Amino acid sequence: MRQGRRDGFREFAAGRSGPLYRSACLLASGDTHLAEDLVQETLGRMYLLWGRVSRIDNPAAYAQTVLVRVFLTHQRRRSTGERPVGDFPDAGALPGGADPALRITLLTALGRLAPKDRAVLVLRYWEDRSVEETAGAMDVSSAAVRTRSTRALARLREQLGGSLAEFAGH
């Protein structure tokens, strides 16, 4: 029984590591080392609960929720505001091998947002979750998700100004 459980987890981890890493890169504003740490912490927590989690209807969605909570916990514990610059995810980290200049611009803009704002945007628009699913993952109300989404998108537009239109033409 234990071996089957371990094999099930290994299969799950192998299949979900890539999507978790891509989401973690966005949450971490391109800090690939932090993204790797977040994924490892997430998978470690998933392993501890695997007997119960494997019976959940959608373990992949549960893993994304754990990832966001690990990220938010990390942000609360972090004692320094230092962030590495110049380290961005590989071309495969964003869909379709997007234009590197656009990727850097977006990651920089995301990095300027508060961690909870970043988490809301990643869950709502990258993970394509509903308001209710996002609220559940972040343990906040649906109204808080809607408000935070609106404000975070406004901040992104303010930061990006006309620069996003420049990249859209490429």
Side-chain angles (χ1 to χ4, degrees), residues 21-103:
Y21 178 72
R22 287 187 290 276
S23 293
C25 281
L26 291 172
L27 289 169
S29 300
D31 182 347
T32 57
H33 300 291
L34 175 58
E36 290 169 355
D37 291 345
L38 294 172
V39 171
Q40 287 302 313
E41 178 71 20
T42 298
L43 291 175
R45 290 183 185 191
M46 292 292 292
Y47 181 76
L48 292 175
L49 301 171
W50 187 246
R52 288 179 271 162
V53 171
S54 62
R55 291 188 294 264
I56 292 176
D57 288 337
N58 192 347
Y62 186 77
Q64 292 295 140
T65 298
V66 171
L67 174 68
V68 169
R69 290 183 179 171
V70 165
F71 166 72
L72 293 173
T73 299
H74 171 77
Q75 292 301 306
R76 281 191 293 272
R77 276 192 251 158
R78 200 165 87 179
S79 62
T80 179
E82 293 180 23
R83 278 194 209 132
V85 292
D87 285 317
F88 296 98
D90 298 328
L94 291 176
D99 179 16
L102 174 60
R103 185 179 320 117

Side-chain angles (χ1 to χ4, degrees), residues 156-169:
L156 269 182
R157 285 185 192 104
E158 183 180 297
Q159 287 182 43
L160 296 172
S163 65
L164 192 57
E166 295 171 24
F167 294 112

Side-chain angles (χ1 to χ4, degrees), residues 117 120 131 141-155:
D117 288 347
V120 164
V131 170
S141 70
S142 295
V145 168
R146 285 189 290 274
T147 301
R148 197 170 282 280
S149 293
T150 301
R151 290 180 183 164
L153 286 172
R155 284 188 198 107

